[in-house]
């Protein structure tokens, strides 16, 4: 028997072209490899074919034709040399490794092996065409996946742009609404000041509260609408904490005066002044008082005290309500976090930001069922740090 008769016959060119066309026309990767597996026994009889995609730890192995026996160890599939060595250890020889190269990159290897016979020139040529087909398929799938990924990224960007545009529109509407509300505050302030001129004495207290509330609201809106950096603390006024507490009680009087079950107690010591914008500190105190009243739906005692400790002016707002659990105490100063059903979760976060802007602190002490105490501490202003008021000019003699 001749050497030619012992070797496997080369594939028929006509059959090879038909099989290649069938493989190439597969609609997706699954159908492609199914057609490839079906064609390999006829194109390369008795051959074992394996596909290695990638290199190193990111490589993957896929059996295509022949008896599998046992799977290769993980390390063997990390390179063509390692895989060839493992194949040879299974009794296959020789082993042909055809590189899968295209578009300037190497995608992997197509390995062919046979027990008991070499590959003919025609078989190796057919294997080369199969390797080219596999390369094109892998490149196509990779390009398609990249395109799908980029389309998803573009879709995400478009969604984000739409969200940003919606936020911008809402911000524009909010700024416009704030501007209009500021005009309304100005109108309320003007009418209240007109009423103050002729109103009887019993109404003066309420009118002063209205004037102060309208003025504070107008100031806070201007602060919100301002695009400039907030003025430095040194530019703020020097004021009495005791007076601010009295102002805050007057502003919140409608919340507690008609509720006889709420008892208001004050213990205000003589303290040095602090440096701040009055409207902002009143905003903080009003928030704390309203929160304390809300924590006592069945009534209780609201206590405000002031004192000096460690060169700081301290104000405490205490209630005898239901208290705050330990896990909530670490989150209540975060925006949009609240323990009340009707709350918005902004008052405490804004209040802390205001206080910290003046170099102070705002903390809480509480236990479930034992009420809560919110402690505000601000740097005290020393008397020698207060600039003297300008002296009046002497009248001409």
């Amino acid at each position: 028997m001749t050497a030619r008769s012992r070797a496997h016959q080369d594939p028929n060119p006509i059959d090879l072209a038909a099989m290649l066309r069938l493989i190439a026309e597969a609609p997706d990767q699954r159908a492609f490899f199914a057609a490839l597996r079906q064609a390999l026994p006829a194109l390369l009889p008795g051959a074992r074919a394996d596909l290695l995609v990638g290199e190193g730890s990111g490589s993957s192995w896929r059996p295509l034709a022949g008896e599998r026996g046992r799977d290769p160890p993980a390390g063997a599939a990390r390179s063509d040399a390692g895989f060839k060595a493992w194949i040879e250890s299974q009794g296959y020889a020789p082993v042909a490794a055809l590189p899968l190269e295209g578009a300037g990159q190497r995608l992997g290897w197509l390995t062919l092996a046979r027990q008991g016979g070499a590959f003919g020139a025609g078989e190796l040529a057919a294997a080369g065409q199969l390797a080219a087909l596999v390369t094109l398929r892998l490149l196509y799938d990779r390009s398609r996946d990249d395109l799908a990924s980029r389309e998803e990224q573009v879709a995400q960007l478009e969604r984000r742009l739409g969200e940003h545009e919606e936020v911008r529109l809402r911000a524009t509407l909010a700024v416009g609404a704030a501007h209009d509300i500021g005009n309304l505050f100005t109108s309320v302030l003007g009418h209240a000041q007109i009423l103050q001129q002729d109103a009887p004495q019993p109404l003066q207290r309420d009118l002063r509260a209205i004037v102060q509330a309208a003025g504070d609201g107008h100031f806070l809106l201007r602060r919100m609408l301002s695009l400039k950096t907030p003025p430095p603390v040194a530019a703020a006024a020097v004021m009495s904490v005791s007076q601010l507490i009295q102002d805050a009680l007057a502003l919140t009087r409608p919340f507690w005066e008609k509720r006889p079950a709420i008892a208001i107690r004050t213990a205000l010591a003589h303290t040095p002044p602090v440096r701040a914008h009055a409207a902002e500190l009143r905003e903080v105190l009003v928030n704390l008082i309203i929160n304390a009243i809300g924590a006592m739906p069945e009534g209780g005692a609201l206590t405000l005290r002031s004192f000096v400790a460690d060169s700081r002016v301290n104000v405490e707002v205490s209630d005898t309500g239901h208290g705050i659990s330990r896990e909530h105490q670490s989150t209540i100063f975060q925006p949009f976090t609240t323990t009340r059903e009707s709350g918005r979760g902004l008052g405490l976060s804004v209040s802390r930001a205001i206080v910290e802007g003046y170099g102070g602190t705002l903390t809480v002490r509480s236990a479930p069922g034992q009420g809560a105490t919110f402690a505000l501490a601000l740097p005290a202003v020393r008397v020698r740090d207060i600039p003297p008021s300008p002296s009046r000019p002497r009248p001409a003699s």
Side-chain angles (χ1 to χ4, degrees), residues 90-319:
Q90 304 301 303
Y92 291 90
V95 178
L98 305 177
L100 305 177
E101 295 179 332
Q105 54 185 316
R106 175 168 293 178
L107 306 179
W109 301 85
L110 176 64
T111 64
L112 304 173
R114 180 181 284 155
Q115 292 177 332
F119 292 104
E123 289 180 313
L124 291 176
Q129 295 187 55
L130 288 175
L133 271 181
V134 172
T135 300
L136 290 174
R137 183 76 228 188
L138 294 176
L139 284 173
Y140 170 77
D141 290 336
R142 181 173 295 184
S143 300
R144 183 193 57 191
D145 293 342
D146 289 344
L147 180 61
S149 176
R150 295 189 181 191
E151 288 177 346
E152 176 60 25
Q153 292 176 359
V154 170
Q156 290 180 359
L157 289 174
E158 289 177 346
R159 287 194 294 270
R160 290 178 182 176
L161 286 173
E163 292 171 357
H164 291 166
E165 179 62 24
E166 183 178 356
V167 170
R168 188 193 66 80
L169 178 60
R170 289 185 178 183
T172 301
L173 294 175
V175 170
H179 178 270
D180 295 340
I181 293 172
N183 290 338
L184 293 175
F185 272 129
T186 302
S187 177
V188 170
L189 181 61
H191 282 80
Q193 289 172 337
I194 292 174
L195 288 175
Q196 274 185 311
Q197 298 175 5
D198 300 318
Q201 187 60 35
L203 296 180
Q204 289 295 332
R205 183 182 63 173
D206 291 334
L207 287 171
R208 280 196 300 270
I210 293 173
V211 168
Q212 191 168 78
D216 286 357
H218 192 261
F219 171 84
L220 297 176
L221 280 173
R222 288 203 319 272
R223 180 193 67 185
M224 183 182 71
L225 292 173
S226 176
L227 298 178
K228 300 179 181 179
T229 304
V233 176
V238 174
M239 63 195 62
S240 164
V241 164
S242 297
Q243 183 59 51
L244 291 175
I245 294 174
Q246 296 294 346
D247 292 344
L249 284 173
L251 290 171
T252 57
R253 189 161 59 89
F255 293 91
W256 50 263
E257 188 177 50
K258 296 187 180 299
R259 294 179 57 186
I262 298 289
I264 305 297
R265 301 168 183 169
T266 59
L268 308 181
H270 178 72
T271 61
V274 297
R275 191 179 295 278
H277 293 287
E280 291 188 327
L281 284 191
R282 276 194 292 264
E283 177 187 5
V284 172
L285 292 171
V286 166
N287 277 329
L288 296 180
I289 292 172
I290 291 177
N291 285 348
I293 295 172
M296 300 183 292
E298 305 301 325
L302 170 64
T303 304
L304 294 98
R305 55 189 298 259
S306 62
F307 57 94
V308 180
D310 299 327
S311 301
R312 297 173 80 82
V313 177
N314 295 264
V315 177
E316 291 184 348
V317 180
S318 303
D319 63 69

Side-chain angles (χ1 to χ4, degrees), residues 15-36:
D15 295 338
L16 174 61
M19 290 181 180
L20 291 176
R21 186 180 301 109
L22 179 65
I23 297 170
E25 292 175 352
D28 53 40
Q29 189 180 97
R30 183 176 180 180
F32 174 86
F33 283 108
L36 181 60

